[in-house]
Amino acid sequence: MAPASAQAYVEDDSFERDTDYIPDRITRDGRDGWQVRPDTYRLVAAKACPWATRSIIVRQLLGLQDVISLGLAAPVHDERSWTFDLDLGAKDPVLGIHFLKDAYERRFPAYDKGVTVPAMVDVASGQVVTNDFPQITHDLFFEWQDFHRDDAPDLWPDDVRDEMEEVMQRVYDDVNNGVYRCGFAGSQSSYEEAYDRLFAALDWLEERLAGRRYLMGATITEADVRLFTTLARFDAVYHGHFKCNRNKLTEMPALWGYARDLFQTPGFGDNTNFAQIKQHYYRVHEDINPTGIVPKGPDPAGWRTPHGREALSSS
């Protein structure tokens, strides 16, 4: 089955993510034709998907729940599209559609790329606006600031932004996308190369987080959101399903403590659904898991255990 959740291609037996997303943006000045307005757009996401869960977390951290509505797609789909099987009548209650592809095709009748989440949809027209996932969270911070809650975190601090961009780039290349390069490798050599890059990056992150609470210091930034959604899926999916099995997340003390710290922060753990995560990967990726059997473990109770990282805030 070709998953509707991923735009990808294989080059020289290596997985590469196709990042040719719909480039439109929703901005204060509406320069792309889509202007920031409350009660105008619907964020369609899925708690199964790490890229989409980023946008759910950022939306909540910034307090935009009453400004941008949220539609949640079901974790299991076929090659056609994400669906709204979680909703009554298997239709999104606001958009009135069963397949997310309908919102794409209302704007692009011959749309032939992956129907991905997250997607911002214009409610009035029912048309997709953008599915550019890194730009969506960037714009939720910079373009929607007039509607942020008063104590919203500064997810893009000026004083560390250049370094943060470098950190996020390596996290994306070697960790977020690295696990996929392991899982979808077409040869032993491409798998081993991706595996080595992944664990070199995790070792780098383990060292970095040994002396600081979050990736950029004492406060949560966009970089933490981007890393968290991969860590949350690591032991449940990537360790076995994608063959990322040098060690588990729970065996890396700083990263495991850091991940629990974020999980226990409002916006992170309450938007992490391990059942949906496992259903998605183990049932949709039929080429990797042809039986469709979904593992029972690991026990998620460990995510609620004390992490002891509060003292690092003053480091």
Side-chain angles (χ1 to χ4, degrees):
M1 179 186 300
S5 57
Q7 293 185 190
Y9 59 92
V10 175
E11 183 175 296
D12 298 329
D13 293 323
S14 298
F15 170 89
E16 297 293 338
R17 187 169 301 278
D18 182 356
T19 56
D20 185 18
Y21 297 104
I22 301 168
D24 286 17
R25 296 172 58 192
I26 301 168
T27 58
R28 276 195 181 113
D29 61 9
R31 56 189 176 272
D32 285 351
W34 312 97
Q35 192 163 16
V36 166
R37 291 191 183 94
D39 305 317
T40 300
Y41 306 100
R42 188 161 179 81
L43 171 63
V44 176
K47 292 189 176 181
C49 171
W51 318 98
T53 303
R54 293 179 180 187
S55 62
I56 304 174
I57 293 171
V58 169
R59 170 181 172 269
Q60 182 170 334
L61 290 176
L62 299 177
L64 294 171
Q65 298 96 314
D66 295 333
V67 179
I68 302 170
S69 66
L70 176 65
L72 289 173
V76 179
H77 57 71
D78 60 22
E79 68 279 0
R80 292 172 292 178
S81 174
W82 293 87
T83 67
F84 295 98
D85 287 331
L86 298 175
D87 292 304
L88 184 66
K91 289 187 176 182
D92 181 88
V94 172
L95 302 175
I97 57 176
H98 171 63
F99 290 107
L100 177 59
K101 72 179 180 66
D102 292 347
Y104 281 70
E105 291 175 352
R106 282 178 184 171
R107 184 165 177 215
F108 305 105
Y111 191 79
D112 60 357
K113 291 184 175 292
V115 178
T116 62
V117 288
M120 293 289 281
V121 179
D122 175 61
V123 173
S125 66
Q127 297 181 359
V128 66
V129 175
T130 182
N131 62 344
D132 189 342
F133 67 89
Q135 193 66 56
I136 287 173
T137 54
H138 178 278
D139 287 346
L140 288 178
F141 180 77
F142 285 103
E143 302 295 332
W144 290 81
Q145 287 188 1
D146 292 343
F147 301 97
H148 290 181
R149 60 184 173 88
D150 291 340
D151 59 345
D154 183 357
L155 297 180
W156 292 79
D158 287 338
D159 59 337
V160 296
R161 194 170 299 169
D162 289 344
E163 182 188 4
M164 186 172 122
E165 293 278 9
E166 295 175 1
V167 169
M168 291 192 301
Q169 189 63 54
R170 184 171 184 187
V171 167
Y172 172 77
D173 289 338
D174 296 346
V175 181
N176 300 147
N177 214 30
V179 293
Y180 284 84
R181 280 202 294 266
C182 289
F184 290 109
S187 69
Q188 187 70 34
S189 60
S190 61
Y191 160 72
E192 291 185 5
E193 179 184 359
Y195 177 101
D196 291 342
R197 285 180 61 182
L198 167 65
F199 281 100
L202 290 175
D203 287 340
W204 165 68
L205 290 165
E206 175 76 4
E207 182 178 356
R208 182 180 183 91
L209 289 164
R212 63 180 77 195
R213 187 169 183 180
Y214 304 114
L215 281 175
M216 304 312 302
T219 60
I220 290 171
T221 66
E222 169 95 8
D224 299 298
V225 177
R226 295 185 179 197
L227 177 57
F228 171 80
T229 56
T230 297
L231 297 183
R233 288 156 178 76
F234 198 87
D235 288 3
V237 175
Y238 303 142
H239 180 269
H241 186 59
F242 280 176
K243 307 179 185 69
C244 302
N245 62 352
R246 190 195 74 177
N247 53 258
K248 297 177 181 177
L249 174 66
T250 55
E251 297 166 346
M252 304 188 79
L255 271 168
W256 175 224
Y258 163 82
R260 300 198 320 274
D261 189 1
L262 290 174
F263 182 88
Q264 295 167 31
T265 301
F268 289 85
D270 44 340
N271 288 310
T272 302
N273 188 311
F274 291 112
Q276 290 190 25
I277 288 167
K278 291 189 292 184
Q279 287 172 28
H280 172 68
Y281 285 91
Y282 287 100
R283 291 180 59 188
V284 170
H285 297 160
E286 293 177 354
D287 50 343
I288 297 177
N289 187 41
T291 66
I293 295 173
V294 180
K296 290 183 66 175
D299 185 351
W303 285 91
R304 295 290 182 190
T305 58
H307 51 78
R309 292 183 60 83
E310 298 89 348
L312 292 175
S313 291
S314 59
S315 298

